[in-house]
Amino acid sequence: METEVILLAAVGVLVLVAATGLSRRIGVAAPLLLVAIGAGLSYLPGAPAIHLEAEWILLIVLPPLLYGAAVAFPVIDFRRNLPPIAFLGVALVIISAVAVGWVLFIVFPDLDLASAIALGAVLSPTDAVSATSIAKRIGLPSRIVTVLEGESLVNDASALVLLRTATASIAAVFDLPAAVGSFFWATFAAIVVGAAVGALAVFVRSRFKDPVMVTSISFVIPFFAYAPAEAIDASGVIAVVTTGLIVGHYSVRSQTIQLRFAEQTNWRTVQFILENGVFLLMGYQLREYIDDDIHAGFQPGYTIAIGLLAVAVLVVVRLAFTFPLFALLARRSRRIAAGRHSLWGMLSVRVRQRLVALRHRGSDVDWRHQLKRRYESDRAFHAREALGWRSSAIIGWSGMRGVVTVAAVQSLPTDTPYRAALILIAFTAATATLLLGGLTLPSLARALGVREAETAPGSDIRALFTELARTGREVLADPELARPDGTPFSPDAVEQIDGEIARQAHVAERSLPSTPSGKQSAELQELRRQVFAAEREALADARATSTFGSAALDTAEAILNTIEAQTTADG
């Protein structure tokens, strides 16, 4: 039996690779294709039954998935898109859960309201993998992709917290104040735990230089965030997301290029197997869900019809609240672009000013200049990437469900009325929304004329590399510049590195700066290392203060990584 399981897992990985390659060739989203392949495999003669406990996904699969996504999510984008992310990821989850729960409460006479809302919470969170894979494939604007990714990071956590609250109410008399208090405690305490673990993780990882050791540590970080939060009845998922955002934000400052390359490659591999493997398993378990529904005395056709009704409710609720939300956000973007802030906006600016002032107290950094650049960058962002009604239509239609929905529904208590039917309803909702979005979203984007995703503005990149060049030349002009043994650098070495700094500016014209080839002297390597260290510190400061957009920062980091990798290899 163990040999069969190992063989099935190995074959499953090959199926994932083949299906993903096929999806790119035929233009069908990989999650949708994997669900279809899994469903087909389950009906093959002699296909073995595979039952994976929901706890395995919620406790073992979900934390690393969310952590990997959070690490790669720019904090700048999270801050700039916090209003839509917060509404879609928290408020809309609660609204959708109550709406769907009320419908199911009416449809099933023996289902209590708490159990109905618990299923509504299961159906509420959207899936990051399916929505963003389609969005990126059809070339949607970067801000739409950012909002969808940010929503999926937050709504998984809020849905699971709501599910826990509703499930706890099933076995007791529902107490609204206690439920609200439990919800807020689970959120607040999880953020505190996640922030503490994130800060500790950044400190510990900075003490290691071996990519194998750093990557090994990173693989267990999600669980060190998840377990303590769950132990104090907080949300482990929220703690994991918080930790991931903090670690990702400070990785530029605390890790070398070799460490980041190794870790990114390893995490992409882990995410690929976990994300796509769960979709394949989702489809493979279709037969089991239908058989359980029949054995429980239900008609699968009727249960699936109720699942489609739940999908209709989810779509209507999402569209009904998305359009007015983004109308308000478009108005907010116009106000910010025009230099006008609401009362809350002015207060938040004052708070940020105080925080930045405290951060740079006693240093030579002109923090007022940084805040001004950050303010101007935010204004340019809102003027350039305002979300209109077309964007709201795309985001409203991108409500695809997936991994969390199918896993979380199986965590309902075994004595929940209609449990087998509820599981099939959740699977139906996840599959139907994948089909609906996967097959119609590309056509909707073309019909609305939504433009392709844009690259970072050239002016932003030029300004950023001008800032980096200034930092590099400050290093060269430092009278105390010297090698580790105190020996000053030769004028020829300083002149050569100054020329390399000047060539970096060509990135603004989309041409990669040329780097000297051949064996480099130890003196040049050391001087280049000191300049790179200063430029990376300046890039980390720019990322921390949000003085440039994330697209420009990512482009600059990729260029510096390439240059540093080339010069390291040549040396």
Side-chain angles (χ1 to χ4, degrees):
M1 182 63 182
E2 293 180 357
T3 304
E4 292 180 0
V5 172
I6 294 174
L7 181 60
L8 283 173
V11 171
V13 172
L14 295 179
V15 171
L16 298 183
V17 174
T20 303
L22 179 62
S23 71
R24 294 170 181 171
R25 296 177 66 90
I26 65 177
V28 175
L32 186 60
L33 186 60
L34 287 166
V35 170
I37 292 174
L41 291 175
S42 69
Y43 281 93
L44 290 177
I50 300 177
H51 181 70
L52 186 64
E53 295 293 334
E55 288 76 12
W56 279 78
I57 296 178
L58 295 179
L59 303 181
I60 298 178
V61 176
L62 193 57
L65 275 181
L66 290 176
Y67 175 81
V71 164
F73 196 87
V75 173
I76 300 172
D77 292 343
F78 192 86
R79 177 183 64 81
R80 286 175 170 171
N81 294 284
L82 185 58
I85 289 174
F87 178 84
L88 295 172
V90 180
L92 189 59
V93 165
I94 297 173
I95 295 169
S96 300
V98 173
V100 173
W102 186 258
V103 170
L104 295 176
F105 178 68
I106 295 174
V107 171
F108 292 106
D110 295 332
L111 190 67
D112 59 278
L113 185 58
S115 298
I117 292 178
L119 182 63
V122 165
L123 299 178
S124 298
T126 56
D127 180 72
V129 182
S130 52
T132 55
S133 64
I134 295 171
K136 292 177 180 178
R137 178 171 57 83
I138 64 180
L140 291 180
S142 59
R143 192 177 183 189
I144 292 180
V145 178
T146 297
V147 171
L148 292 175
E149 289 179 336
E151 176 194 4
S152 64
L153 282 178
V154 175
N155 67 12
D156 285 346
S158 56
L160 291 176
V161 172
L162 183 59
L163 172 63
R164 175 194 294 174
T165 304
T167 302
S169 301
I170 294 174
V173 178
F174 183 72
D175 185 348
L176 181 59
V180 172
S182 175
F183 185 91
F184 279 102
W185 164 256
T187 303
F188 174 76
I191 292 174
V192 173
V193 171
V197 174
L200 180 61
V202 171
F203 173 78
V204 172
R205 281 155 46 98
S206 66
R207 295 297 184 268
F208 294 90
K209 304 302 179 184
D210 186 341
V212 175
M213 298 175 71
V214 172
T215 303
S216 300
I217 293 172
S218 72
F219 284 157
V220 299
I221 288 175
F223 304 103
F224 276 110
Y226 188 92
E230 289 291 322
I232 61 173
D233 292 329
S235 171
V237 175
I238 294 179
V240 168
V241 171
T242 304
T243 298
L245 290 173
I246 291 174
V247 172
H249 186 61
Y250 290 101
S251 63
V252 175
R253 193 188 300 270
S254 62
Q255 290 185 286
T256 64
I257 176 178
Q258 292 82 7
L259 293 178
R260 287 195 300 276
F261 277 167
E263 188 176 24
Q264 288 171 3
T265 301
N266 289 325
W267 267 108
R268 282 199 295 267
T269 303
V270 170
Q271 286 182 282
F272 171 80
I273 294 176
L274 292 180
E275 289 171 348
N276 294 291
V278 173
F279 280 108
L280 183 65
L281 182 63
M282 251 177 67
Y284 194 86
Q285 289 184 317
L286 170 63
R287 182 175 182 177
E288 177 186 347
Y289 299 145
I290 293 178
D291 290 344
D292 289 346
D293 193 58
I294 294 174
H295 292 157
F298 302 109
Q299 293 295 327
Y302 178 72
T303 305
I304 291 173
I306 296 176
L308 296 177
L309 174 62
V311 169
V313 173
L314 290 170
V315 171
V316 170
V317 169
R318 186 175 178 88
L319 290 174
F321 283 91
T322 300
F323 277 101
L325 166 68
F326 283 94
L328 293 174
L329 291 175
R331 181 173 178 270
R332 175 176 177 269
S333 292
R334 289 193 295 270
R335 290 178 60 88
I336 295 176
R340 301 192 305 272
H341 280 288
S342 64
L343 177 60
W344 173 255
M346 289 187 290
L347 289 174
S348 64
V349 168
R350 294 298 182 188
V351 170
R352 290 199 299 269
Q353 287 177 340
R354 294 293 183 185
L355 291 176
V356 174
L358 289 173
R359 182 172 181 265
H360 293 294
R361 176 179 292 178
S363 69
D364 296 330
V365 177
D366 187 356
W367 59 268
R368 292 181 179 83
H369 175 70
Q370 287 189 341
L371 279 173
K372 181 180 178 182
R373 291 293 300 273
R374 175 173 175 171
Y375 176 71
E376 292 173 350
S377 179
D378 284 353
R379 286 183 58 187
F381 168 80
H382 284 281
R384 183 176 64 245
E385 299 189 38
L387 294 171
W389 69 270
R390 291 180 178 85
S391 300
S392 65
I394 294 295
I395 292 174
W397 198 249
S398 301
M400 285 158 275
R401 273 66 184 174
V403 175
V404 174
T405 293
V406 176
V409 72
Q410 298 179 66
S411 67
L412 290 174
T414 54
D415 58 349
T416 302
Y418 309 104
R419 187 176 184 275
L422 298 181
I423 291 176
L424 185 56
I425 288 172
F427 179 86
T428 300
T431 306
T433 52
L434 280 174
L435 283 170
L436 185 65
L439 298 178
T440 63
L441 194 58
S443 300
L444 178 63
R446 287 193 298 268
L448 293 177
V450 177
R451 68 185 185 280
E452 292 186 353
E454 298 178 351
T455 56
S459 59
D460 223 15
I461 296 178
R462 284 191 293 271
L464 177 55
F465 268 92
T466 298
E467 189 78 14
L468 295 179
R470 182 186 63 79
T471 300
R473 290 195 170 98
E474 286 178 355
V475 173
L476 298 181
D478 187 354
E480 298 182 0
L481 178 66
R483 302 171 73 171
D485 60 2
T487 306
F489 290 99
S490 66
D492 289 341
V494 173
E495 182 179 357
Q496 182 168 336
I497 298 299
D498 184 70
E500 291 181 17
I501 292 174
R503 283 192 291 272
Q504 289 180 3
H506 291 295
V507 72
E509 281 71 40
R510 297 293 191 269
S511 61
L512 186 65
S514 60
T515 55
S517 59
K519 191 72 174 178
Q520 302 293 307
S521 68
E523 181 184 35
L524 276 176
Q525 291 181 42
E526 174 59 29
L527 182 54
R528 189 180 290 115
R529 186 195 65 77
Q530 292 189 28
V531 170
F532 270 130
E535 289 181 338
R536 288 199 176 281
E537 187 70 19
L539 186 63
D541 283 337
R543 191 179 294 276
T545 56
S546 306
T547 49
F548 296 94
S550 62
L553 291 167
D554 291 342
T555 301
E557 183 177 358
I559 293 297
L560 289 183
N561 288 346
T562 303
I563 298 172
E564 188 174 350
Q566 289 176 352
T567 54
T568 301
D570 293 337

